[in-house]
Amino acid sequence: MLSERRLEVLRAIVQDYVGTEEPVGSKALTERHRLGVSPATVRNDMAVLEDEGYIAQPHTSAGRIPTDKGYRLFVDKLAGVKPLSTPERRAIHNFLDGAVDLDDVVGRTVRLLAQLTRQVAVVQYPSLTRSTVRHVELLSLAPARLMLVLITDTGRVEQRMIDCPAPFGEASLADLRARLNSRVVGRRFADVPQLVQDLPESFEETEDRGTVSTVLATLLETLVEEHEERLMIGGTANLTRFGHDFPLTIRPVLEALEEQVVLLKLLGEAKDSGMTVRIGHENAHEGLTSTSVVAVGYGSGDEAVAKLGVVGPTRMDYPGTMGAVRAVARYVGQILAES
Amino acid sequence: MLSERRLEVLRAIVQDYVGTEEPVGSKALTERHRLGVSPATVRNDMAVLEDEGYIAQPHTSAGRIPTDKGYRLFVDKLAGVKPLSTPERRAIHNFLDGAVDLDDVVGRTVRLLAQLTRQVAVVQYPSLTRSTVRHVELLSLAPARLMLVLITDTGRVEQRMIDCPAPFGEASLADLRARLNSRVVGRRFADVPQLVQDLPESFEETEDRGTVSTVLATLLETLVEEHEERLMIGGTANLTRFGHDFPLTIRPVLEALEEQVVLLKLLGEAKDSGMTVRIGHENAHEGLTSTSVVAVGYGSGDEAVAKLGVVGPTRMDYPGTMGAVRAVARYVGQILAES
DNA sequence: CCTGGCACTCGGACAGGGCGAGTGCCAAAC
DNA sequence: GTTTGGCACTCGCCCTGTCCGAGTGCCAGG
C-alpha cells in the first residue's frame, strides 16, 4: 500500500502531465505543488511509484509519465468528477433545447460533447430493445407491398419494406394493424416477440395467415438485427491535438472509429449504470491502446436506453471529461423524457 | 498555347508526382517516359511550364510539382476517365446488392467509395425536393399529437411530430390523410406546396380547419428545412496517407468535414449532370485549399436526386478517382430505381 | 530547335560538441 | 527511520558545420 504522500505525488504527476503534455520531474513537482517536502524526497517516492508500475520514464534522464496503471489508480482513488461550471451547464441546456427530432438530439449531443471535452464524442441512438413501443404502423404502398413503421417512446422511428406473398385487403390490414397495436403499444420492444407469437393463429382465413406471418417475421427481424444499433460520432478533428508524434497514433484510431462494430462493442462493454472509464490497454481493440474511453448510459427514465461517451488520449483530463459526459447524459435523458 | 510535347511533359510530371509523391526532375522524367528528347530539352520545357504557372518548385534545386492550374489542365485536356476493372465492377455490385434499406444503401456506398478511391467519401441522401412522394401518413399518437411521415420513391422516410391546437377525430384524420395522398402521391416534392395550398379551405368545420392548417404548415416546413439535406461521410482514416508533414494539413480538413454545411455547399456547387472536379484553391472553403473534390450527381432516373463524391489531396489519381466515382454513382442510381 | 557539358545552388543527411534536465546514491541532519 | 542537500553521472536534444547529390540554368556546338 502506498503512503498518503506517495499518492499525492502520483496525483500531482498526473495533473501536471495532463496539463503540460511533458514528462514531469521532481523539481518541477515541488515547485508547482505544495507537497511540503524537498525534491530529493519526491525522487525517492517516484522511484517507489516506478517500481510499482504506476509511472515510467520515456528515457533515462527525462521526467516521469503515468502508466495506464497510474491513470487507473488516479481515476479510482484520487480523482473526483468535476462538476461543470454554470456557463457550461447553461450551454448544454441552450444547445440541446433547440432540437426538433431524435436525429437532431443525437446530432447536437455529439457536437456538444465534442466541444465540451475537446475530444471525439460517440453517441448511441436509443436502443430498440430497451425502449417501449409507442406505435406500430402498416402502410400499403403497393398491392403486395407493405411498409412497417415502428415508433418508440424515445422518438426513434424505424421502417422496413415488406414484400408480401399475396395482396392484402385493406380491411385485413386495418385489422392486423389494430391487433398489433393493441398488443404491443406501451410494451418494451424486448417483450414484443412473445406478445405477437400467436397472432397468425388468430387469423382464420388461410390466405391472410401467410401474409401475417411474413409481416411478423419482418417485425421480429427488425427487432433483433444488429443494424438496430446506430450511432453517431463527431469531433474527430480533436484527434489532431494528440501530440506532435501522432501520425502513427491517429491512424489506427480513425480506423477504429470508422468501424461502428468496434465502437458499439466499446460502448457495450461499459456498465449499464454509473460511469465506465477504460484506460489504454484496457481497451480490447488494438488501435485504441493509447486512448481512453469514458462512457455512461443515458435514458428517458431511470433505466439506460443507450450509451454515450468520448474517446481521447490516455493523457486526458479525467475529472473534467467525466463531469461533462455525465452532465450531458443526464440532460439528454431529460430531453428524451419530455418529448 | 503549349506545344504537344510540353503538354506531354506536364502529363508525365503529374503522373509521376501522383505516383511517387516527390518532386520530379528532368532526368527522372526522360528515364520513365519515352519522350524521345534529352533531359536538357525537358528542362527548357519545364522552364516554360513554370513561367506559365503550371508547375512550381518547392525550393530551388528540387524537382517540379504541378500547381492547381497544372492539375486543372491535366484534368481538362490530358486525362480521360479510367474505367474500372472487371473485379472492381463486380465488387461494386456484390457490395451494394446486399443493402436492405436506404440508410444501408448510403452507408455501403460511402464505404465502397472510400475503399475504391482510398480517399474520403461523401454521399448525400436523396434530396426531398427532387424526389417524388410515394406516401404520406398521419398517425395519431396522442389525442392532440400527430406524427407526419413522408415516404419518397427513393425509399427515404422523414418524420416529424405535430402538436395540434385541438384533438383531431379519427374520421377527420382519415379524411385528411386520404385527401392529402390523393393530391400529392406520385408528385414531386417541390410541387407539393401548390398542391395543398387550398386544402384547409375545403374543410368546412371550423374546428378542424385550424388543425389542418397546422398539419400543412409542418408538412411544408419539413419540405423546406435545410435539415432535409443529410449526408454521410467515411474513409477519414485515408487522410493519414496525405503526407508526412500533414498534422497541419489534416486538421482543417477534418474540421471542414465535420461541418455538414460546408460539405453540402461543396456538393451543391457541383454541376447537376456530368462530373465536377474542384481543385485546390478552386474550393471556396479555406481548410480545403490543398484538397480536390470529385463529385457527381446520381439518381434513380435520368435526373439527379443527390450527389456523391470524394475529397482527397490535390495530388490524387484523377482518372482513377473519376472512374470510381462515376461507376459507383451509376450503380447506386440503378439500385434506387429498383427498390 | 535540340543536345551535352558545366558551374552553381540548395536542401537533407550526418557527425560532433555543449547544455541542461533529471536521476540515483550517499552521508548528514532531524 | 525519514528527510534533506550535495554531487557525480547519464542521456536526449539542439545547434553547428560539413558533405553530398539532385536538379537547375546557361551556353556553345551540332
PDB file of all heavy atoms in Angstrom, chain B residues 279-311:
ATOM      1  N   ILE B 279     -10.400  21.750 -57.850  1.00  0.00           N
ATOM      2  CA  ILE B 279      -9.009  21.508 -57.494  1.00  0.00           C
ATOM      3  C   ILE B 279      -8.448  22.602 -56.594  1.00  0.00           C
ATOM      4  O   ILE B 279      -8.467  23.779 -56.941  1.00  0.00           O
ATOM      5  CB  ILE B 279      -8.154  21.418 -58.765  1.00  0.00           C
ATOM      6  CG1 ILE B 279      -8.636  20.241 -59.625  1.00  0.00           C
ATOM      7  CG2 ILE B 279      -6.691  21.265 -58.411  1.00  0.00           C
ATOM      8  CD1 ILE B 279      -8.073  20.232 -61.020  1.00  0.00           C
ATOM      9  N   GLY B 280      -7.936  22.184 -55.452  1.00  0.00           N
ATOM     10  CA  GLY B 280      -7.233  23.099 -54.564  1.00  0.00           C
ATOM     11  C   GLY B 280      -7.977  24.394 -54.297  1.00  0.00           C
ATOM     12  O   GLY B 280      -9.078  24.384 -53.747  1.00  0.00           O
ATOM     13  N   HIS B 281      -7.398  25.475 -54.694  1.00  0.00           N
ATOM     14  CA  HIS B 281      -7.955  26.783 -54.368  1.00  0.00           C
ATOM     15  C   HIS B 281      -9.283  27.066 -55.054  1.00  0.00           C
ATOM     16  O   HIS B 281      -9.927  28.067 -54.763  1.00  0.00           O
ATOM     17  CB  HIS B 281      -6.954  27.888 -54.699  1.00  0.00           C
ATOM     18  CG  HIS B 281      -5.744  27.844 -53.818  1.00  0.00           C
ATOM     19  ND1 HIS B 281      -4.697  26.973 -54.059  1.00  0.00           N
ATOM     20  CD2 HIS B 281      -5.430  28.514 -52.685  1.00  0.00           C
ATOM     21  CE1 HIS B 281      -3.779  27.130 -53.114  1.00  0.00           C
ATOM     22  NE2 HIS B 281      -4.196  28.046 -52.267  1.00  0.00           N
ATOM     23  N   GLU B 282      -9.673  26.217 -55.943  1.00  0.00           N
ATOM     24  CA  GLU B 282     -10.999  26.404 -56.551  1.00  0.00           C
ATOM     25  C   GLU B 282     -12.090  26.167 -55.519  1.00  0.00           C
ATOM     26  O   GLU B 282     -13.230  26.579 -55.698  1.00  0.00           O
ATOM     27  CB  GLU B 282     -11.179  25.443 -57.731  1.00  0.00           C
ATOM     28  CG  GLU B 282     -10.216  25.711 -58.882  1.00  0.00           C
ATOM     29  CD  GLU B 282     -10.245  24.593 -59.927  1.00  0.00           C
ATOM     30  OE1 GLU B 282     -11.165  23.755 -59.870  1.00  0.00           O
ATOM     31  OE2 GLU B 282      -9.350  24.563 -60.769  1.00  0.00           O
ATOM     32  N   ASN B 283     -11.733  25.450 -54.461  1.00  0.00           N
ATOM     33  CA  ASN B 283     -12.686  25.257 -53.372  1.00  0.00           C
ATOM     34  C   ASN B 283     -12.725  26.508 -52.512  1.00  0.00           C
ATOM     35  O   ASN B 283     -11.694  26.982 -52.049  1.00  0.00           O
ATOM     36  CB  ASN B 283     -12.281  24.074 -52.505  1.00  0.00           C
ATOM     37  CG  ASN B 283     -12.442  22.757 -53.234  1.00  0.00           C
ATOM     38  OD1 ASN B 283     -13.524  22.441 -53.709  1.00  0.00           O
ATOM     39  ND2 ASN B 283     -11.359  22.011 -53.340  1.00  0.00           N
ATOM     40  N   ALA B 284     -13.935  26.987 -52.309  1.00  0.00           N
ATOM     41  CA  ALA B 284     -14.071  28.229 -51.559  1.00  0.00           C
ATOM     42  C   ALA B 284     -13.585  28.071 -50.122  1.00  0.00           C
ATOM     43  O   ALA B 284     -12.935  28.954 -49.580  1.00  0.00           O
ATOM     44  CB  ALA B 284     -15.525  28.681 -51.575  1.00  0.00           C
ATOM     45  N   HIS B 285     -13.862  26.929 -49.533  1.00  0.00           N
ATOM     46  CA  HIS B 285     -13.547  26.773 -48.115  1.00  0.00           C
ATOM     47  C   HIS B 285     -12.041  26.777 -47.861  1.00  0.00           C
ATOM     48  O   HIS B 285     -11.269  26.151 -48.576  1.00  0.00           O
ATOM     49  CB  HIS B 285     -14.149  25.478 -47.595  1.00  0.00           C
ATOM     50  CG  HIS B 285     -14.071  25.359 -46.109  1.00  0.00           C
ATOM     51  ND1 HIS B 285     -14.952  26.013 -45.280  1.00  0.00           N
ATOM     52  CD2 HIS B 285     -13.223  24.694 -45.306  1.00  0.00           C
ATOM     53  CE1 HIS B 285     -14.633  25.738 -44.036  1.00  0.00           C
ATOM     54  NE2 HIS B 285     -13.591  24.937 -44.029  1.00  0.00           N
ATOM     55  N   GLU B 286     -11.685  27.462 -46.795  1.00  0.00           N
ATOM     56  CA  GLU B 286     -10.275  27.674 -46.505  1.00  0.00           C
ATOM     57  C   GLU B 286      -9.516  26.386 -46.171  1.00  0.00           C
ATOM     58  O   GLU B 286      -8.390  26.188 -46.608  1.00  0.00           O
ATOM     59  CB  GLU B 286     -10.146  28.641 -45.332  1.00  0.00           C
ATOM     60  CG  GLU B 286      -9.048  29.644 -45.511  1.00  0.00           C
ATOM     61  CD  GLU B 286      -8.906  30.478 -44.263  1.00  0.00           C
ATOM     62  OE1 GLU B 286      -9.936  31.003 -43.774  1.00  0.00           O
ATOM     63  OE2 GLU B 286      -7.778  30.588 -43.776  1.00  0.00           O
ATOM     64  N   GLY B 287     -10.155  25.538 -45.409  1.00  0.00           N
ATOM     65  CA  GLY B 287      -9.468  24.322 -44.988  1.00  0.00           C
ATOM     66  C   GLY B 287      -9.241  23.336 -46.118  1.00  0.00           C
ATOM     67  O   GLY B 287      -8.518  22.362 -45.975  1.00  0.00           O
ATOM     68  N   LEU B 288      -9.855  23.584 -47.230  1.00  0.00           N
ATOM     69  CA  LEU B 288      -9.804  22.600 -48.310  1.00  0.00           C
ATOM     70  C   LEU B 288      -8.996  23.080 -49.507  1.00  0.00           C
ATOM     71  O   LEU B 288      -9.118  22.544 -50.607  1.00  0.00           O
ATOM     72  CB  LEU B 288     -11.235  22.274 -48.756  1.00  0.00           C
ATOM     73  CG  LEU B 288     -12.110  21.640 -47.668  1.00  0.00           C
ATOM     74  CD1 LEU B 288     -13.525  21.452 -48.157  1.00  0.00           C
ATOM     75  CD2 LEU B 288     -11.524  20.302 -47.231  1.00  0.00           C
ATOM     76  N   THR B 289      -8.144  24.065 -49.280  1.00  0.00           N
ATOM     77  CA  THR B 289      -7.409  24.613 -50.416  1.00  0.00           C
ATOM     78  C   THR B 289      -6.306  23.680 -50.895  1.00  0.00           C
ATOM     79  O   THR B 289      -5.732  23.913 -51.953  1.00  0.00           O
ATOM     80  CB  THR B 289      -6.794  25.977 -50.060  1.00  0.00           C
ATOM     81  OG1 THR B 289      -6.160  25.865 -48.801  1.00  0.00           O
ATOM     82  CG2 THR B 289      -7.859  27.049 -50.015  1.00  0.00           C
ATOM     83  N   SER B 290      -5.975  22.667 -50.123  1.00  0.00           N
ATOM     84  CA  SER B 290      -4.992  21.724 -50.655  1.00  0.00           C
ATOM     85  C   SER B 290      -5.642  20.369 -50.928  1.00  0.00           C
ATOM     86  O   SER B 290      -4.981  19.341 -50.945  1.00  0.00           O
ATOM     87  CB  SER B 290      -3.808  21.576 -49.701  1.00  0.00           C
ATOM     88  OG  SER B 290      -4.252  21.197 -48.434  1.00  0.00           O
ATOM     89  N   THR B 291      -6.938  20.399 -51.107  1.00  0.00           N
ATOM     90  CA  THR B 291      -7.633  19.165 -51.460  1.00  0.00           C
ATOM     91  C   THR B 291      -8.431  19.366 -52.740  1.00  0.00           C
ATOM     92  O   THR B 291      -8.740  20.490 -53.120  1.00  0.00           O
ATOM     93  CB  THR B 291      -8.626  18.740 -50.364  1.00  0.00           C
ATOM     94  OG1 THR B 291      -9.614  19.756 -50.216  1.00  0.00           O
ATOM     95  CG2 THR B 291      -7.940  18.525 -49.051  1.00  0.00           C
ATOM     96  N   SER B 292      -8.753  18.282 -53.368  1.00  0.00           N
ATOM     97  CA  SER B 292      -9.613  18.331 -54.544  1.00  0.00           C
ATOM     98  C   SER B 292     -10.891  17.568 -54.249  1.00  0.00           C
ATOM     99  O   SER B 292     -10.896  16.631 -53.455  1.00  0.00           O
ATOM    100  CB  SER B 292      -8.920  17.708 -55.751  1.00  0.00           C
ATOM    101  OG  SER B 292      -7.912  18.566 -56.216  1.00  0.00           O
ATOM    102  N   VAL B 293     -11.960  17.999 -54.878  1.00  0.00           N
ATOM    103  CA  VAL B 293     -13.246  17.347 -54.692  1.00  0.00           C
ATOM    104  C   VAL B 293     -13.742  16.841 -56.043  1.00  0.00           C
ATOM    105  O   VAL B 293     -13.774  17.603 -57.011  1.00  0.00           O
ATOM    106  CB  VAL B 293     -14.277  18.337 -54.115  1.00  0.00           C
ATOM    107  CG1 VAL B 293     -15.624  17.654 -53.938  1.00  0.00           C
ATOM    108  CG2 VAL B 293     -13.789  18.900 -52.793  1.00  0.00           C
ATOM    109  N   VAL B 294     -14.070  15.576 -56.087  1.00  0.00           N
ATOM    110  CA  VAL B 294     -14.639  15.000 -57.310  1.00  0.00           C
ATOM    111  C   VAL B 294     -16.071  14.608 -56.984  1.00  0.00           C
ATOM    112  O   VAL B 294     -16.301  13.784 -56.105  1.00  0.00           O
ATOM    113  CB  VAL B 294     -13.856  13.752 -57.756  1.00  0.00           C
ATOM    114  CG1 VAL B 294     -14.514  13.125 -58.976  1.00  0.00           C
ATOM    115  CG2 VAL B 294     -12.416  14.114 -58.057  1.00  0.00           C
ATOM    116  N   ALA B 295     -17.019  15.241 -57.639  1.00  0.00           N
ATOM    117  CA  ALA B 295     -18.417  14.993 -57.296  1.00  0.00           C
ATOM    118  C   ALA B 295     -19.245  14.737 -58.541  1.00  0.00           C
ATOM    119  O   ALA B 295     -18.921  15.203 -59.630  1.00  0.00           O
ATOM    120  CB  ALA B 295     -18.996  16.189 -56.538  1.00  0.00           C
ATOM    121  N   VAL B 296     -20.327  14.002 -58.357  1.00  0.00           N
ATOM    122  CA  VAL B 296     -21.213  13.708 -59.475  1.00  0.00           C
ATOM    123  C   VAL B 296     -22.615  13.475 -58.925  1.00  0.00           C
ATOM    124  O   VAL B 296     -22.782  13.046 -57.784  1.00  0.00           O
ATOM    125  CB  VAL B 296     -20.707  12.467 -60.259  1.00  0.00           C
ATOM    126  CG1 VAL B 296     -20.812  11.220 -59.427  1.00  0.00           C
ATOM    127  CG2 VAL B 296     -21.453  12.303 -61.560  1.00  0.00           C
ATOM    128  N   GLY B 297     -23.616  13.817 -59.711  1.00  0.00           N
ATOM    129  CA  GLY B 297     -24.989  13.580 -59.283  1.00  0.00           C
ATOM    130  C   GLY B 297     -25.365  12.126 -59.539  1.00  0.00           C
ATOM    131  O   GLY B 297     -24.785  11.463 -60.380  1.00  0.00           O
ATOM    132  N   TYR B 298     -26.318  11.640 -58.763  1.00  0.00           N
ATOM    133  CA  TYR B 298     -26.837  10.309 -59.053  1.00  0.00           C
ATOM    134  C   TYR B 298     -28.343  10.345 -58.849  1.00  0.00           C
ATOM    135  O   TYR B 298     -28.869  11.214 -58.146  1.00  0.00           O
ATOM    136  CB  TYR B 298     -26.194   9.250 -58.155  1.00  0.00           C
ATOM    137  CG  TYR B 298     -26.610   9.309 -56.699  1.00  0.00           C
ATOM    138  CD1 TYR B 298     -27.696   8.575 -56.246  1.00  0.00           C
ATOM    139  CD2 TYR B 298     -25.916  10.089 -55.802  1.00  0.00           C
ATOM    140  CE1 TYR B 298     -28.080   8.628 -54.914  1.00  0.00           C
ATOM    141  CE2 TYR B 298     -26.288  10.151 -54.476  1.00  0.00           C
ATOM    142  CZ  TYR B 298     -27.377   9.420 -54.035  1.00  0.00           C
ATOM    143  OH  TYR B 298     -27.755   9.481 -52.732  1.00  0.00           O
ATOM    144  N   GLY B 299     -29.029   9.420 -59.468  1.00  0.00           N
ATOM    145  CA  GLY B 299     -30.474   9.429 -59.325  1.00  0.00           C
ATOM    146  C   GLY B 299     -31.073   8.141 -59.816  1.00  0.00           C
ATOM    147  O   GLY B 299     -30.418   7.350 -60.486  1.00  0.00           O
ATOM    148  N   SER B 300     -32.322   7.937 -59.451  1.00  0.00           N
ATOM    149  CA  SER B 300     -32.968   6.692 -59.839  1.00  0.00           C
ATOM    150  C   SER B 300     -33.339   6.732 -61.320  1.00  0.00           C
ATOM    151  O   SER B 300     -33.402   5.717 -61.977  1.00  0.00           O
ATOM    152  CB  SER B 300     -34.199   6.453 -58.972  1.00  0.00           C
ATOM    153  OG  SER B 300     -34.980   7.619 -58.915  1.00  0.00           O
ATOM    154  N   GLY B 301     -33.600   7.904 -61.827  1.00  0.00           N
ATOM    155  CA  GLY B 301     -33.903   8.000 -63.250  1.00  0.00           C
ATOM    156  C   GLY B 301     -32.756   8.689 -63.951  1.00  0.00           C
ATOM    157  O   GLY B 301     -31.598   8.496 -63.619  1.00  0.00           O
ATOM    158  N   ASP B 302     -33.089   9.513 -64.913  1.00  0.00           N
ATOM    159  CA  ASP B 302     -32.057  10.249 -65.614  1.00  0.00           C
ATOM    160  C   ASP B 302     -31.722  11.528 -64.861  1.00  0.00           C
ATOM    161  O   ASP B 302     -30.717  12.168 -65.103  1.00  0.00           O
ATOM    162  CB  ASP B 302     -32.509  10.565 -67.041  1.00  0.00           C
ATOM    163  CG  ASP B 302     -34.016  10.705 -67.114  1.00  0.00           C
ATOM    164  OD1 ASP B 302     -34.684  10.211 -66.182  1.00  0.00           O
ATOM    165  OD2 ASP B 302     -34.527  11.297 -68.060  1.00  0.00           O
ATOM    166  N   GLU B 303     -32.583  11.871 -63.910  1.00  0.00           N
ATOM    167  CA  GLU B 303     -32.385  13.118 -63.192  1.00  0.00           C
ATOM    168  C   GLU B 303     -31.677  12.860 -61.868  1.00  0.00           C
ATOM    169  O   GLU B 303     -31.963  11.874 -61.194  1.00  0.00           O
ATOM    170  CB  GLU B 303     -33.751  13.754 -62.920  1.00  0.00           C
ATOM    171  CG  GLU B 303     -33.693  15.244 -62.751  1.00  0.00           C
ATOM    172  CD  GLU B 303     -35.107  15.773 -62.597  1.00  0.00           C
ATOM    173  OE1 GLU B 303     -36.052  14.954 -62.600  1.00  0.00           O
ATOM    174  OE2 GLU B 303     -35.263  16.985 -62.448  1.00  0.00           O
ATOM    175  N   ALA B 304     -30.791  13.753 -61.494  1.00  0.00           N
ATOM    176  CA  ALA B 304     -30.050  13.577 -60.254  1.00  0.00           C
ATOM    177  C   ALA B 304     -30.931  13.912 -59.057  1.00  0.00           C
ATOM    178  O   ALA B 304     -31.605  14.936 -59.040  1.00  0.00           O
ATOM    179  CB  ALA B 304     -28.812  14.461 -60.246  1.00  0.00           C
ATOM    180  N   VAL B 305     -30.944  13.034 -58.044  1.00  0.00           N
ATOM    181  CA  VAL B 305     -31.687  13.327 -56.824  1.00  0.00           C
ATOM    182  C   VAL B 305     -30.741  13.731 -55.705  1.00  0.00           C
ATOM    183  O   VAL B 305     -31.163  14.193 -54.660  1.00  0.00           O
ATOM    184  CB  VAL B 305     -32.522  12.126 -56.344  1.00  0.00           C
ATOM    185  CG1 VAL B 305     -33.638  11.849 -57.325  1.00  0.00           C
ATOM    186  CG2 VAL B 305     -31.655  10.909 -56.147  1.00  0.00           C
ATOM    187  N   ALA B 306     -29.474  13.520 -55.911  1.00  0.00           N
ATOM    188  CA  ALA B 306     -28.492  13.901 -54.902  1.00  0.00           C
ATOM    189  C   ALA B 306     -27.106  13.751 -55.512  1.00  0.00           C
ATOM    190  O   ALA B 306     -26.965  13.388 -56.674  1.00  0.00           O
ATOM    191  CB  ALA B 306     -28.627  13.028 -53.664  1.00  0.00           C
ATOM    192  N   LYS B 307     -26.108  14.033 -54.707  1.00  0.00           N
ATOM    193  CA  LYS B 307     -24.752  13.947 -55.225  1.00  0.00           C
ATOM    194  C   LYS B 307     -23.873  13.110 -54.316  1.00  0.00           C
ATOM    195  O   LYS B 307     -24.182  12.930 -53.141  1.00  0.00           O
ATOM    196  CB  LYS B 307     -24.163  15.348 -55.357  1.00  0.00           C
ATOM    197  CG  LYS B 307     -24.853  16.122 -56.479  1.00  0.00           C
ATOM    198  CD  LYS B 307     -24.484  17.563 -56.471  1.00  0.00           C
ATOM    199  CE  LYS B 307     -25.356  18.317 -57.470  1.00  0.00           C
ATOM    200  NZ  LYS B 307     -25.411  19.750 -57.173  1.00  0.00           N
ATOM    201  N   LEU B 308     -22.798  12.638 -54.873  1.00  0.00           N
ATOM    202  CA  LEU B 308     -21.813  11.938 -54.072  1.00  0.00           C
ATOM    203  C   LEU B 308     -20.440  12.248 -54.630  1.00  0.00           C
ATOM    204  O   LEU B 308     -20.322  12.735 -55.757  1.00  0.00           O
ATOM    205  CB  LEU B 308     -22.074  10.432 -54.061  1.00  0.00           C
ATOM    206  CG  LEU B 308     -22.121   9.659 -55.386  1.00  0.00           C
ATOM    207  CD1 LEU B 308     -20.722   9.394 -55.905  1.00  0.00           C
ATOM    208  CD2 LEU B 308     -22.831   8.331 -55.158  1.00  0.00           C
ATOM    209  N   GLY B 309     -19.429  11.982 -53.847  1.00  0.00           N
ATOM    210  CA  GLY B 309     -18.091  12.279 -54.339  1.00  0.00           C
ATOM    211  C   GLY B 309     -17.026  11.937 -53.327  1.00  0.00           C
ATOM    212  O   GLY B 309     -17.303  11.323 -52.295  1.00  0.00           O
ATOM    213  N   VAL B 310     -15.812  12.337 -53.640  1.00  0.00           N
ATOM    214  CA  VAL B 310     -14.718  12.106 -52.711  1.00  0.00           C
ATOM    215  C   VAL B 310     -13.915  13.384 -52.530  1.00  0.00           C
ATOM    216  O   VAL B 310     -13.918  14.266 -53.380  1.00  0.00           O
ATOM    217  CB  VAL B 310     -13.765  10.984 -53.188  1.00  0.00           C
ATOM    218  CG1 VAL B 310     -14.526   9.719 -53.491  1.00  0.00           C
ATOM    219  CG2 VAL B 310     -12.969  11.427 -54.391  1.00  0.00           C
ATOM    220  N   VAL B 311     -13.254  13.444 -51.390  1.00  0.00           N
ATOM    221  CA  VAL B 311     -12.358  14.555 -51.088  1.00  0.00           C
ATOM    222  C   VAL B 311     -10.972  13.962 -50.868  1.00  0.00           C
ATOM    223  O   VAL B 311     -10.817  13.027 -50.082  1.00  0.00           O
ATOM    224  CB  VAL B 311     -12.801  15.274 -49.803  1.00  0.00           C
ATOM    225  CG1 VAL B 311     -11.849  16.406 -49.465  1.00  0.00           C
ATOM    226  CG2 VAL B 311     -14.220  15.801 -49.954  1.00  0.00           C
TER     227      VAL B 311
END
